[in-house]
Amino acid sequence: MNKKNNPISLYQEVSFAAAKPSVTLLLETSSTKELRICLAKGVLMADHKSPFPIVIHIQEGSIDFHTDGIMHKMTKGDLIGLEGSILHNLKANENSIIRLSIHEQDQVERVQDVINKK
């Protein structure tokens, strides 16, 4: 993780696990935490909610993103923002890299719990 105001790459040390997403905390600011989520093709992040607003940015690949009963096909460059407490899930259509911006009071462990949920 970057702690000294140095640039960091979303694309270094990328790994795709066949069974579940890989999450890496890249950096923290006074208002956000920036995470990289690597999803192998076919991997699902089941229904979950964040207690705070989030922003999801597709860096590589494509996903099906479900929220409010609507499925959005999202591809490289697409962004979506959600307020807190909005139920959503996502599934990778191909190996995908996602930048997730979470509130500074949110916890990376919460995201890990979503990944480990069966």
Side-chain angles (χ1 to χ4, degrees):
M1 181 183 69
N2 180 358
K3 293 185 178 181
K4 297 186 180 188
N5 297 325
N6 293 315
I8 190 160
S9 174
L10 281 163
Y11 303 105
Q12 289 179 350
E13 301 176 22
V14 170
S15 66
F16 296 96
K20 64 182 182 177
S22 168
V23 176
T24 305
L25 175 63
L26 296 173
L27 64 91
E28 294 183 59
T29 71
S30 61
S31 60
T32 67
K33 294 175 183 166
E34 302 298 325
L35 288 73
R36 176 183 57 216
I37 301 176
C38 297
L39 289 172
K41 180 179 180 179
V43 171
L44 170 73
M45 285 185 72
D47 285 342
H48 60 281
K49 299 177 185 179
S50 169
F52 302 99
I54 61 171
V55 175
I56 297 166
H57 183 188
I58 310 305
Q59 299 291 313
E60 291 289 337
S62 69
I63 65 168
D64 290 340
F65 183 84
H66 295 86
T67 187
D68 294 328
I70 300 169
M71 192 272 290
H72 302 279
K73 287 219 175 269
M74 296 181 65
T75 60
K76 182 178 180 175
D78 290 346
L79 293 139
I80 191 166
L82 295 180
E83 293 299 321
S85 301
I86 303 291
L87 188 66
H88 60 282
N89 69 58
L90 47 141
K91 183 176 182 179
N93 296 317
E94 58 187 291
N95 286 357
S96 300
I97 300 173
I98 299 165
R99 176 180 158 202
L100 174 63
S101 300
I102 63 175
H103 191 275
E104 63 93 22
Q105 291 180 0
D106 204 347
Q107 300 296 315
V108 176
E109 293 80 12
R110 180 194 60 78
V111 179
Q112 292 288 354
D113 288 346
V114 169
I115 289 167
N116 293 321
K117 184 169 93 171
K118 298 287 181 189

